Each structure stands twice: as C-alpha cells, then as structure tokens.
Amino acid sequence: MKEQLEAVRQAALAALANAETGEQLEELRIRFTGKKGELTGLLSRMGKLSPQERPIIGQLANEIRGAIETELKTRKAALEQRELAHRLRRETVDVTLPGKHRQIGRQHPLNIVLDEIKDAFISMGFSIAQGPEVEYDYYNFEALNIPKDHPARDTQDTFYFSPEMLLRSQTSPVQIRVMEQTRPPIRILAPGRVFRIDEVDATHSPIFHQIEGLVVDRGITMAHLKGALELISKKLFGPETQTRIRPDYFPFTEPSAEISITCYKCGGKGCRLCKNEGWIEIGGAGMVNPKVLELCGIDPDIYSGFAFGMGLERLVLGRYGIDDIRLLYENNTKFLEMF
Ligand code: DAH
C-alpha cells in the first residue's frame, strides 16, 4: 500500500508539472484528490490494514494529499502569473502609432462674417431681430411705402404664393414688425435669408442673405448712420477702410443713400474688381421715412431713425477674395476646410 501511495504521489507531481492550463489543473485535482480520485480510492481500502499499519499509512496519505494540494496551488499561481504577463504583452497600446484622423466640421464663411458683424453691433447695444421668410406683401412692400404698382417692385423680382403672400425679397419687413411691436429707443440688427427670382451665376443666387439695421430714437441723424457704417467697415476690412454715402432712392427712407466702402482689393486706387472706381457698393441706407414711422405708430415729430440693408454675400466674397458666389452654397468640403 505504501508503494501504491508513493506511485500516486509520483504520478500526481509529474502530471502537475506538465499541466499547461487551469482546466488541466482542475482535471488533475479531481483525478487525484477528488471524491472518487485515486488517493481517496486507495484510502477506502485502509480498513483492511492491521491496527499497527493504519496510523502510519494514514499519516503518509495525509502528507501526500498535502503535497499534491501545495503543488496544485503553486502551479495554479505560476500559470496565472504567466497568463497575466501574456495579457499585458498582448494588450499593450503603442502610443507612438499615428492617431486616427477625425474630420471636424467648421463654421461656414457666411457665418464667420455674420458673427463678426453681429458682435460689432451687439457691442453698440443692438439686439438681434428676426422675421419670417414667408411674408405678407403688406410687410415686404406695402408698409415700406412701396404700393402695388410702384416701380421699386420691379427691381425685386419676387416669388409670390398668392397676391398677399410671398417669399420676402428683402429683410426690410423686419423693420416694420419690430416698430409695430416695440417703442423707441430701438436698436436692432436683422440678418436673414431673402429670395428673388434670378438665374444662378457667379454673382447671383435666388437665395441670399441681407443684414438689416434699424435705429429709432430722439435726435437720430445721418451722422449716426455714417458712424455705425464706418465702424463695421473698419472692423471687417481693416482700419484704412473708408465709407462713402451717396444719394440714392428707396421708398422707405428719406433721404436715402447708397453705401460704398473703399475697394478691399486695391484699397481705393482702382482695379478690375471695383471697375477702376476705387469703391465697392455694399448696400442701401437712409433716414426712416416719416410716413413709415407714422404707419407703425411712432410719432415722427418726436422720433427719427436710420436704417440700412447690406448684402452678406458681397462682404464675404470681398473679405476672402472669393470670385464665385456659388462656392458659398455648394458645401464642397475642400472649399469649406480653407476657413
Ligand atoms: N431693402 C433694400 C434692398 O434690398 C436695401 C435697403 C435700403 C435697406 C435702404 C434699408 C435701407 O434698410 O434703409 O435693396
């Protein structure tokens, strides 16, 4: 029996030394020290031994069980250690590898310039106003002193839904909506999309953007208008930029003016862009027509106001030296990535 026990010890230790996985270890534990294992099997025959032999064999059996259990533990720890080292090696992150390129969106040039203009006017105490793109003929024309058969309607070829409803052809109707709703002092900037029937080419688009400004208070004069325009032109195109206002005609302003700034390409010397004039027109302006004030319930004997409307696209094209308006609408990412 002693020899048989020693044989089990040998077999067990040899097998354990060769075990490569946790499962193999578990199989060996069951095979040698489990309830139906080889060691237990031998011990069940202890009853046949003499009383003298029994304690000696019992002690030996316990010692062997202990040895096998210790070896199981040692082997298990070694295997776990090896597995951990392996995993650490496998899961190492090589921080020197190049990163994944992520494409990040950017602000559209129209919004870059619009935000600058908004910031400049907000810093002068203006707030931002909005009006609907689907507008009544009343706000787009009638209330702006442009009656049904007025020739000024011809210059803005308008998309009509019905005789009363249209796609606004200018942001000026926002002036009326604001003056109907608020009492002076009024200082608003109303940027937005406008619509005119037009073929698309390098300088035209049926959808474009205007920025409308309106100030109504006591004692407002043309000088305030000029000051506001100068500030914004210098901010957008540099401190050398000059602003010019010349007489023009708009039914909703009196007097009316055309706004120009010194050419952003040649600085005023004259070039192809400004057709050798040195000036580039950026919009219209004027003193709010007393008739318009009155219609909105503002007393023209107490209050006066100035208004202006500028084309945003023209400013953006000039600012970045872009020569085709279509680039602003095509959403070509190669183009947009340049800003
Ligand atoms: N709404 C005019 C246009 O689209 C531009 C304009 C001119 C706006 C004079 C104004 C203004 O506010 O006072 O042609």
Side-chain angles (χ1 to χ4, degrees):
M1 183 126 190
K2 216 173 181 176
E3 287 81 54
Q4 283 175 313
L5 280 172
E6 285 299 349
V8 169
R9 186 207 304 252
Q10 294 301 321
L13 295 184
L16 283 172
N18 285 326
E20 293 295 334
T21 64
E23 291 93 75
Q24 286 175 8
L25 282 183
E26 179 59 11
E27 276 168 25
L28 293 175
R29 185 190 66 75
I30 294 168
R31 177 175 148 202
F32 290 107
T33 60
K35 270 200 191 104
K36 293 179 184 154
E38 294 187 13
L39 197 59
T40 326
L42 274 179
L43 293 178
S44 64
R45 284 191 265 136
M46 285 239 303
K48 293 185 187 128
L49 295 174
S50 67
Q52 294 92 327
E53 277 177 318
R54 222 176 276 161
I56 302 166
I57 293 299
Q59 206 184 354
L60 182 63
N62 277 339
E63 185 202 314
I64 290 174
R65 175 184 295 275
I68 292 174
E69 278 169 359
T70 310
E71 183 57 19
L72 263 170
K73 263 194 215 128
T74 319
R75 195 70 195 131
K76 197 171 168 216
L79 284 179
E80 278 171 1
Q81 196 58 41
R82 201 174 68 179
E83 170 64 10
L84 180 66
H86 189 66
R87 256 183 63 195
L88 284 176
R89 234 177 306 121
R90 206 175 45 215
E91 294 175 6
T92 312
V93 175
D94 181 355
V95 293
T96 65
L97 283 175
K100 273 196 192 125
H101 177 70
R102 285 220 170 75
Q103 203 164 6
I104 292 173
R106 294 182 197 218
Q107 217 184 1
H108 193 280
L110 282 168
N111 276 321
I112 298 176
V113 174
L114 178 56
D115 275 359
E116 270 182 46
I117 297 174
K118 279 196 208 160
D119 281 350
F121 279 97
I122 287 170
S123 75
M124 290 190 277
F126 284 63
S127 28
I128 306 298
Q130 276 188 309
E133 292 177 349
V134 175
E135 186 55 285
Y136 290 106
D137 180 276
Y138 175 78
Y139 287 104
N140 195 77
F141 290 125
E142 209 75 33
L144 286 162
N145 197 30
I146 315 173
K148 276 269 173 335
D149 46 10
H150 197 285
R153 291 201 179 206
D154 299 341
T155 63
Q156 304 186 2
D157 219 344
T158 310
F159 290 104
Y160 276 93
F161 296 107
S162 70
E164 289 81 40
M165 293 210 87
L166 43 76
L167 282 173
R168 68 178 178 191
S169 61
Q170 49 185 354
T171 42
S172 302
V174 185
Q175 288 188 36
I176 306 299
R177 289 182 173 272
V178 168
M179 285 191 285
E180 275 183 354
Q181 302 285 327
T182 29
R183 297 296 91 189
I186 293 170
R187 275 190 231 109
I188 57 109
L189 193 74
R193 282 205 293 191
V194 298
F195 308 83
R196 290 184 198 181
I197 300 170
D198 233 332
E199 292 295 327
V200 178
D201 65 22
T203 53
H204 293 86
S205 161
I207 306 177
F208 58 102
H209 299 79
Q210 286 188 335
I211 302 163
E212 194 82 12
L214 173 70
V215 170
V216 183
D217 204 350
R218 289 168 196 263
I220 295 296
T221 71
M222 213 85 179
H224 295 111
L225 167 66
K226 184 93 194 298
L229 295 173
E230 296 229 320
L231 188 127
I232 189 66
S233 320
K234 285 184 171 28
K235 174 142 179 25
L236 286 179
F237 294 103
E240 277 81 52
T241 313
Q242 283 170 34
T243 313
R244 181 183 74 181
I245 52 177
R246 290 202 304 190
D248 200 341
Y249 170 75
F250 297 102
F252 40 95
T253 42
E254 183 57 37
S256 300
E258 158 206 296
I259 321 162
S260 304
I261 58 171
T262 41
C263 176
Y264 22 70
K265 190 153 188 201
C266 63
K269 286 195 267 327
C271 67
R272 228 177 49 150
L273 182 70
C274 59
K275 298 189 183 76
N276 260 327
E277 292 191 13
W279 296 92
I280 289 184
E281 194 193 325
I282 60 164
M287 299 306 291
V288 181
N289 193 321
K291 276 202 223 166
V292 173
L293 288 177
E294 205 161 9
L295 192 76
C296 298
I298 294 173
D299 187 346
D301 290 333
I302 303 175
Y303 296 106
S304 57
F306 73 73
F308 61 84
M310 299 185 291
L312 178 59
E313 278 77 357
R314 174 79 61 90
L315 297 173
V316 174
L317 297 183
R319 166 74 172 275
Y320 295 113
I322 304 166
D323 57 9
D324 194 324
I325 197 173
R326 287 169 288 199
L327 287 165
L328 296 177
Y329 309 121
E330 283 165 355
N331 284 334
N332 177 342
T333 49
K334 283 274 168 300
F335 169 75
L336 294 175
E337 270 169 15
M338 298 194 292
F339 297 92

